[in-house]
Structure formats: structure tokens, C-alpha cells
Amino acid sequence: MIPDKSGHFNGFGGRFVPETLIYALDELEREYQRARHDKKFTQELDYYLKEYAGRPTPLYLARNLSKYLGINKIYLKREDLLHTGAHKINNTLGQVLLALRMKKGRIIAETGAGQHGVATATVAAMFGLKCDVYMGEEDIKRQRLNVFRMKLLGTRVIPVSSGSKTLKDAMTEALRDWVTNVRTTHYIIGSVAGPHPYPMMVRDFQSIIGREAKKQILKKEGRLPDYLVACVGGGSNAMGLFHNFFLDKKVKFIGVEAAGLGLSSGKHAATLVGGGIGVLHGSKSGLLEDKFGQVKIAHSIAAGLDYPGVGPEHTYYKKIGRATYAAVDDKQALEGFKLLSETEGIIPALEPSHAIFYLTKMKKMVKKNSIIILCLSGRGDKDTETVAQRLKI
């Protein structure tokens, strides 16, 4: 059983938190275990995923991209078509329903690219809950559209000026808030990171990506894909795609991290490719840290990948060899952004643009009849200003 009862994925994960948070985590775990076996809860979640969020998402055969790269068939799992523009709402819908079951009147969240913040603000507005979202000042500057969207939805966006002023620091501040307000507040963590039960719970809510993809590819092709490819920051979209294929050993998993300005520069967010093991935000997992054990400042052009840690289940996958992890730098991600836009008329977010570029490397390693599914985790509206500045468009 993964994770085990203490929330460990073969030694990774667990809980490394202040005593004041144990009550809230125990309460959340109990409620989640009850809810997941409650037919009424699962039916309600299914209703909102379909009628509100827009599931199921298409599994789209990218013929032009496939032909351009000389790869047999590349399918895109179109999470970018969901309400709010990314996969994040799969998780926020599940967690807000849990918050209502626990009678929590206030929601908090952290956000980097703003997609999780928007998804949290959206569900809070729909269910009439007070909502505060912590966001680093650096990310507020580069994701102004999503900041406006959150405010329009009635959420207070709280700037974080400490550290790197990005996702890591936003999560730190959100945890501090939760410690103080555990009895009235639910913290919706946006990725498969953080203390148990979050890595398991967020994975389960996001696993609808892989469940749908498996049914869709079997219907379209009559067989499973050869490769699953997704970007990895904290790793929720990738784990959502990978999880239901875990026992299908012939299906290879590739997670693509952010190499930033290059692995040798030290300014990157490639935790699994270029990091070690440590504890961050209540979980033992892959981590970027220096020789003194201090957490390094991560860097990526994609705010959603700009995080020095990663979900513990990904670290477990790497340890056992179930998944391979690679890294793509900022310039290459911009090429991926342009590539999908120009070949398929689909403007991707900068996060999955890393995975899109990696396809250009895969064309030399895949067999003639290979089928690839790539998780297109979000759309690129939020990144057009950044890309225009970098590409001088």
C-alpha cells in the first residue's frame, strides 16, 4: 500500500510539522478517508467535475506536431480546456467539498503561476467561502492576469516578500497562517507535496487525468501508450497522469523539470535531476539544498515550476526506476511554447512547454510505431506577456 499508514512512500513523505498542525492533519485524513468511501461525496464531486469544470477533457491527436517531429502519434491530454484553464481545479473541487464537510468557513492557498490560486478562488466563490491566497511578489509581477482574476473572484491576494518571493515562500507563509487558524481554516495545497495526507489526497483527486486517458487511448488505439510525458514542479499533473498506469510496466513515465538558466548555473528548479534529499514544507523528498543544508533558491521562467522541492511519490518513482526525469531550460521551454502554437494552433502554458520541447529529444529514442501521451496541464494566456518580452514579439 503506497503510501503506508504514516504517509511514507518507501521512506519519502511523512509529516515533519509543528505539533499544532497534527490536529488539523489528523482531522483532514479522517475526513478524506470517510469521504472517499462515501457514495454521496464521490457523486457530488463527479457532478462538479463534469458540469462545472468541464470533464472529461479530450485526448487530442496532435497530427501536425507528430508529423513535424517524425514521431508516430503524439496525443495531448487537454487539461488546458478545463474551467480556469488548468488541471488545478480537479484538486480544488475535491478539497473544497472536504472543507465544507469539516465546516471550515475560510480557505487559504499558496500559488506560483496563479493557476492554483485562481482555481481555489473559483471554488471559494462558488461555495461562498472566505479565501486568502499567498503569492510571492516576484510571481505577482509576472502573473498579473491571474492576480486580477483572483481579486475579481473576491479573493484577497497576500504578497510574500521573504526569500525568493516565489512559490516556496508563499507556501511557507500559508503554513504559518494555518498553524494559527487550524480550527476555522482549511489549507488547499495545490500539489502532491506537503505533509501527509496531502501527497496522497492531491494525487487521488488528480488521478482522474490518467483514468480518462487510459480509457480514451484504449478506445482510440486499442492499446496502451508507450510513453507518458508531463512537466514536474511539485508534480501534481504528472502524478495525475502516471498513477493509473503504475502497474502497466511497459508504459514508460518521463517527468520534465525546469533547468532554468542551466543545470551548471545553479539557477534552476530541477530537483530530481540536480538535487538531493531533504525536508521541506513538512515532507521528506527531493530537495535543492546547499552543503550546509540550506534550501536553495529555485529558478524557472515558468512560475509553476519555480519550486526547490518535489512531491515524495515522484522521488519514490525515481528511486525504484519507475519514472525517468529530465530537465529543459528556459530558452528551450520558449521553443516548446512556439512549437505547439505554430504547429497545432494551441498556446500552452510555460509549464507544459518544458515537456513539449522534450518531445524534440524523444524523436531519436522512440520506436517507429510509438504512441506518446503528453499532459497539456494548462493554457498560455497567463504567460503571453512574459513570452512577448523574451521573444520580442
Side-chain angles (χ1 to χ4, degrees), residues 54-68:
R55 303 212 71 91
T57 57
L59 186 68
Y60 169 71
L61 176 57
R63 289 185 174 87
N64 296 334
L65 180 63
S66 302
K67 183 178 179 180
Y68 179 84

Side-chain angles (χ1 to χ4, degrees), residues 127-181:
F127 288 103
L129 300 175
K130 182 179 179 182
C131 184
D132 292 328
V133 171
Y134 288 89
M135 190 172 190
E137 288 182 345
E138 183 64 29
D139 292 334
I140 286 175
K141 291 177 185 176
R142 56 180 171 173
Q143 300 293 340
R144 291 188 296 177
L145 174 60
N146 278 342
V147 173
F148 173 74
R149 293 169 76 193
M150 285 184 276
K151 290 180 178 179
L152 188 62
L153 290 160
T155 282
R156 181 173 61 152
V157 179
I158 302 174
V160 177
S161 59
S162 58
S164 60
K165 305 176 185 179
T166 57
L167 181 57
K168 173 183 74 72
D169 311 290
M171 192 168 181
T172 298
E173 291 303 316
L175 282 165
R176 286 174 178 164
D177 183 321
W178 199 31
V179 167
T180 308
N181 301 290

